[in-house]
Structure formats: structure tokens, C-alpha cells
Amino acid sequence: MKTIQYNSITQKVLIVALCVFVAITANVKAKNSESMKKKILFVVTNHEKKGNTGEKTGFYLSEVTHPWDVLTSAGYEVDFVSPKGGKAPVEGFNLSDLTNKKFWLDEVYRQKIENTLKPDNINPEDYTAIHFAGGHGALWDLPNNKQIIALASKIYENNGFISAVSHGPAGLLNIKLDDKYLVDGKKINAFTNEEETAVKLDKAAPFLLESKLIERGSIFEKSGLWQTHVTVDQRLVTGQNPQSAKAVGEALLEQLTASETLVKLTMYEVPENVSESFRKALKDYVTASLSSKENIMAEAFYEQDKPNILWLIERWNGKKQLEDFGKKTQAKELQSLAEKSLKTAPEIYYVKDLEPLTKEQWRKTSKKEDNQLVIMLFVDGKKGTEQNFKDTYHIAMPQFRSEPGVVTYQLSEIEGDETQFVTYEKFRSNDAFQYHLNFPPIKPVIEYLETSIKKPPFQNGLHNLIEFAPMTRE
């Protein structure tokens, strides 16, 4: 009996130890995974001669240091890769620029830039973004480096981001996805032909970058000589010149932050006898959410045609931030009320914004004199048509958002099913909505909705929402 008892106790101890080991291992893996997602790969040139001019070149220092400063300050780690690895030549070496000086005096990063990694040493799975720094040298050795092209392609295909500044977009020229150039049809910015002429290198350069990007099908945008200009299009961030380097870093950080956003839509079917108390609980929840620095937006609505259907729409900086807020009194009270009073469990949708907005944009409100109208449309597309729908919206979205009667406009993809989408459209009035329906860019969207969804008419997925929290107005 004693032996059996001893073995039993031993087994229990072993089981507990095993569980602890598994938990610790899982925790370490989670932390390692999280750490990996916080890494960005910077690409620099090894080329050091400006054609036949006899002048030295390399990567332009501030086009590394200014994005580096923005990103590392936000908690990202940066690694450096070059076509050959090793020490990378530098131009624009100016330590009176305090950011340049900060970088150059940082022992860790000075060591990294003077011992850049070879492409063979890089696992693209470790990085959430790749940045191509400029300097004229990039025109010679980045466009045709197959290994770096493969790294950038893999990072982008993994839903990562690509940024490039000045001559850095030379590294984008031959990146292809599904036999189509990455830059084809996308808005792009880079060192302009006028700037190349102004520095008298238009004849020495192997090609004019602006012209080559246009040949590849890009929609090239630019400003005047040495003006800051940054363009963002579908996880691709590009900047015009050294003056744009910091802004490129900021735009990339904004995109990275938006990609981590957790978006949750919750629908409650509320019995009439608890409607008032439930709305109050939602108001309290929204108010508390908006006071949290980790919250991006929170709003509560009832459906115009079904006042017992309530919606909570919220965006947070991440899953953990929402979980932490779930410990707050207001969140617990809402959860408790839902468990006690609802006959059916709330319907929850997690979605991914396809054209991310900033916190400031999400918190833009209607004016006091407006007669606000909010539309939410659920779209269930036919299999194989989803990319067409996203492309159609991508072209139209900037125009929609520029309409004077539009407060907010977003297209999101429902997680778990790439054919399901939801649009969120906030207008200042019904007149603004009617104008939108007749706005030329809406026609391809309407055409898709009338021909490419599983169960027409598309109006069946329409929800007309009336806001009751937070009711903030300009």
C-alpha cells in the first residue's frame, strides 16, 4: 500500500512538473514570438562609386538614422543587411545632425551597421517590416539582388510592411508578387528626376528612378525639390528624399501600430424590460474605454428598425489591452448584466481594417448641427471575388473619405473568412449619404454588390445605426 501511495504521489508530482514545464515553455515561446514581431530589417547598399564621376557613395546616413530613431524609440529592434554583408559605405556623414550622432555613438547599432548581415543569414519570418535606405549606391546593387528581393517578397507576403526612402525604392523595382510588379498600380514616391538633375547626377546614374518606377506601372507622386513627401499604399511606405526620412519612419510606425489593432463588434439582442439599464451599462463602458490611452475608439448604437438590437464597436491597441480593460468595473458590470438578462449570447465579430485610420481620425465627430447617419453593411462575397472587392474599395476609399459629408469610412475583413466584409460609414446627414450614392467612384462598388455576393440583394446586410454613446460632437 505504501509503495502504491508513493508511486501515486510521484506520478502527481511528475504531472505537475510537466504542466509547469509546458506552461513555462509556452510562455517563453509566446514572448519569443512577440519579440520576433518587433524586429525590422534595414537594407543598405555596398556600392561605393557614383558611376564615372570619381565621387564616393554608399547609404545615406540620415535615411537610416531618422527612421531608426522613430522605430527603436517605439520598441522595435533593427537589423541591417546588405548584398555582400560586412561594412557598408556611408555618405551624408554629418554628425551635427543630432539623430545621426545618437546613432553613431550607439555601440550596439554602430557595431551592426559596420558588420551588416548577408542575405543568407536572414530568416524573413523574424521580421514584421523591411526598410530600404537610400544613397545613390542603391541604384547599382539593390534592384537586381535576387536574395534581397526574395526577403522583401516573403516579408510582404506574410502581411508585413515595406518602406523605402529617396533612392531606396530602387530596391522595389523587381519585386514581383504573382508575376506582377509590387509597385504596379500603387502610389509611389522616390527621389525625383528633377532632384537628380539638380544634383547633376542624372547622366551618371544608371537610370532615373522616377522614370523606372513609372515604367513598372506605379502611380508616381512628388513634391518640389527637397520637400518632405511620404506616400502610403497597401503596406508600402515611400519617401521622396533625405528630408522625408523621419516622416517615412513615422508613417511606417503608424502602419505597424494599426496592424496590431484589435477590432471587436458585439451585437446584443436586449429584452425590452432591461433595455434602459443595458444602454446605461454600455454608455458607462464606452466612457471608461475612451478614457484609456490604449483605446482607439468605442461607440454604442441601437438599430433604427430594431431598437432592441444594440451594437458595441471598439478598437484597441492590441488583444492584451482589451483583456486588461476587461478587469475594469464597467466591463465586469456589462458582462454580468449580459449573462443575467440576455436570452441569447451576444454575437461577436473580430475584424481587420483594410484601410487603417489613426486614433485621431477615428475620434473625429459629427458637428452639433449635423443630423448624423451611420451605416454598417455586412458583405458576403462569392469565393474568388474577394480580391476584386478589396481592390475596388482601395481605389475608391480615398475619394470617399474626401467627401465633405463623410465623417468616417472604413472597410474591414471579418477574421476567419476572407470572403466576408463589413463597411462602417458615418455621414453628417442623409443628404450627404444620398450624394455619396451618386458619387462616381461608388459605381464599381455598387456593381460588385449587385453581382458578386452570395445572397442578394445586398441591402439585406444593411444596418442603420443610431448612436447613443458617447454622443460627442464638434
Side-chain angles (χ1 to χ4, degrees):
M1 289 293 292
K2 287 183 179 181
T3 302
I4 295 173
Q5 185 178 12
Y6 175 79
N7 288 340
S8 176
I9 292 171
T10 302
Q11 287 176 341
K12 288 179 180 179
V13 170
L14 288 172
I15 291 170
V16 170
L18 180 61
C19 290
V20 170
F21 173 77
V22 170
I24 291 172
T25 303
N27 188 45
V28 169
K29 286 182 177 179
K31 287 184 177 179
N32 287 342
S33 176
E34 186 176 339
S35 176
M36 285 180 184
K37 293 179 182 177
K38 299 289 282 186
K39 292 180 72 174
I40 298 173
L41 186 63
F42 275 38
V43 181
V44 294
T45 178
N46 289 122
H47 191 83
E48 52 186 342
K49 292 182 180 179
K50 291 180 181 176
N52 57 7
T53 66
E55 297 177 18
K56 294 287 187 180
T57 185
F59 73 88
Y60 205 86
L61 185 57
S62 65
E63 295 174 18
V64 163
T65 64
H66 285 236
W68 163 85
D69 190 42
V70 171
L71 296 165
T72 55
S73 296
Y76 287 88
E77 179 185 352
V78 170
D79 287 337
F80 295 94
V81 66
S82 62
K84 298 177 182 178
K87 187 171 182 177
V90 58
E91 66 173 319
F93 189 81
N94 174 16
L95 295 190
S96 64
D97 178 319
L98 295 181
T99 306
N100 285 352
K101 185 176 181 180
K102 177 182 176 182
F103 176 86
W104 206 251
L105 295 178
D106 187 304
E107 292 183 9
V108 173
Y109 280 100
R110 175 79 173 275
Q111 175 73 10
K112 283 189 174 189
I113 197 63
E114 294 190 341
N115 297 274
T116 63
L117 299 168
K118 292 181 179 180
D120 287 344
N121 301 133
I122 300 296
N123 179 3
E125 304 288 343
D126 292 348
Y127 299 92
T128 190
I130 184 169
H131 171 71
F132 289 82
H136 276 85
L139 297 175
W140 276 270
D141 66 352
L142 294 190
N144 297 309
N145 189 281
K146 293 181 180 179
Q147 290 175 299
I148 290 177
I149 289 171
L151 288 173
S153 299
K154 187 63 176 177
I155 290 170
Y156 193 81
E157 288 170 342
N158 286 345
N159 290 317
F161 298 81
I162 296 177
S163 66
V165 62
S166 192
H167 292 92
L172 312 181
L173 284 170
N174 292 315
I175 296 175
K176 283 187 173 182
L177 304 173
D178 298 324
D179 293 324
K180 179 182 177 181
Y181 287 112
L182 169 70
V183 300
D184 188 4
K186 291 190 177 67
K187 292 179 287 184
I188 296 291
N189 187 222
F191 205 72
T192 68
N193 290 351
E194 292 85 354
E195 286 171 325
E196 206 68 84
T197 300
V199 297
K200 300 181 180 179
L201 288 170
D202 52 312
K203 299 292 189 287
F207 54 86
L208 294 177
L209 184 53
E210 174 186 338
S211 297
K212 188 65 72 173
L213 286 164
I214 292 171
E215 283 180 25
R216 292 286 192 262
S218 70
I219 303 166
F220 196 87
E221 297 184 344
K222 59 183 175 180
S223 294
L225 295 175
W226 324 125
Q227 299 298 305
T228 298
H229 190 125
V230 174
T231 298
V232 180
D233 194 341
Q234 291 188 5
R235 294 185 286 117
L236 181 59
V237 179
T238 48
Q240 182 167 317
N241 44 37
Q243 290 79 4
S244 306
K246 180 179 180 180
V248 166
E250 291 170 338
L252 175 57
L253 178 59
E254 189 175 285
Q255 293 295 305
L256 289 166
T257 301
S259 72
E260 296 172 1
T261 298
L262 183 139
V263 188
K264 184 180 180 182
L265 317 179
T266 308
M267 186 192 79
Y268 303 92
E269 186 172 353
V270 181
E272 187 175 350
N273 64 318
V274 294
S275 177
E276 186 175 341
S277 58
F278 211 95
R279 289 195 190 190
K280 182 183 182 303
L282 277 173
K283 285 182 181 179
D284 292 343
Y285 181 98
V286 167
T287 301
S289 296
L290 293 172
S291 67
S292 168
K293 67 178 182 179
E294 302 296 346
N295 177 264
I296 296 170
M297 63 85 74
E299 297 175 331
F301 303 87
Y302 64 87
E303 293 198 11
Q304 184 177 47
D305 298 332
K306 299 177 181 177
N308 67 311
I309 301 295
L310 307 184
W311 286 90
L312 173 62
I313 301 175
E314 52 190 325
R315 285 170 169 82
W316 294 83
N317 286 333
K319 180 180 179 181
K320 182 180 183 302
Q321 287 77 0
L322 176 57
E323 289 175 347
D324 288 345
F325 183 77
K327 301 171 186 175
K328 299 288 186 181
T329 300
Q330 295 84 353
K332 289 181 177 180
E333 289 179 349
L334 177 61
Q335 177 68 21
S336 175
L337 185 60
E339 291 172 355
K340 292 176 182 177
S341 60
L342 299 186
K343 295 178 181 177
T344 57
E347 290 186 21
I348 299 175
Y349 303 87
Y350 291 97
V351 307
K352 177 184 176 183
D353 292 338
L354 298 179
E355 304 285 339
L357 293 169
T358 64
K359 181 174 182 175
E360 290 71 25
Q361 289 172 315
W362 272 115
R363 295 203 177 189
K364 181 181 177 183
T365 67
S366 300
K367 298 178 180 178
K368 289 182 179 179
E369 63 270 21
D370 291 342
N371 184 18
Q372 179 178 282
L373 184 148
V374 179
I375 297 292
M376 191 163 62
L377 175 65
F378 283 83
V379 177
D380 194 359
K382 294 178 182 176
K383 186 70 174 178
T385 69
E386 57 271 14
Q387 190 58 50
N388 178 39
F389 185 55
K390 288 191 277 191
D391 290 344
T392 300
Y393 251 104
H394 176 69
I395 294 170
M397 188 72 74
Q399 300 173 80
F400 292 168
R401 289 175 175 169
S402 68
E403 294 176 54
V406 170
V407 180
T408 312
Y409 210 111
Q410 182 60 274
L411 172 67
S412 306
E413 183 178 81
I414 296 177
E415 291 187 5
D417 189 337
E418 60 185 14
T419 67
Q420 292 191 338
F421 306 89
V422 58
T423 71
Y424 176 89
E425 309 163 30
K426 183 183 288 186
F427 299 91
R428 298 194 182 280
S429 65
N430 185 59
D431 288 343
F433 176 62
Q434 294 303 320
Y435 172 84
H436 172 71
L437 291 179
N438 295 306
F439 193 42
I442 195 69
K443 291 182 180 178
V445 176
I446 298 295
E447 182 179 346
Y448 176 91
L449 294 174
E450 291 178 340
T451 61
S452 301
I453 65 171
K454 292 177 182 175
K455 296 180 181 179
F458 69 86
Q459 288 86 352
N460 290 341
L462 199 63
H463 300 260
N464 193 338
L465 306 180
I466 309 297
E467 181 186 345
F468 65 87
M471 292 298 291
T472 306
R473 297 290 183 266
E474 290 183 14

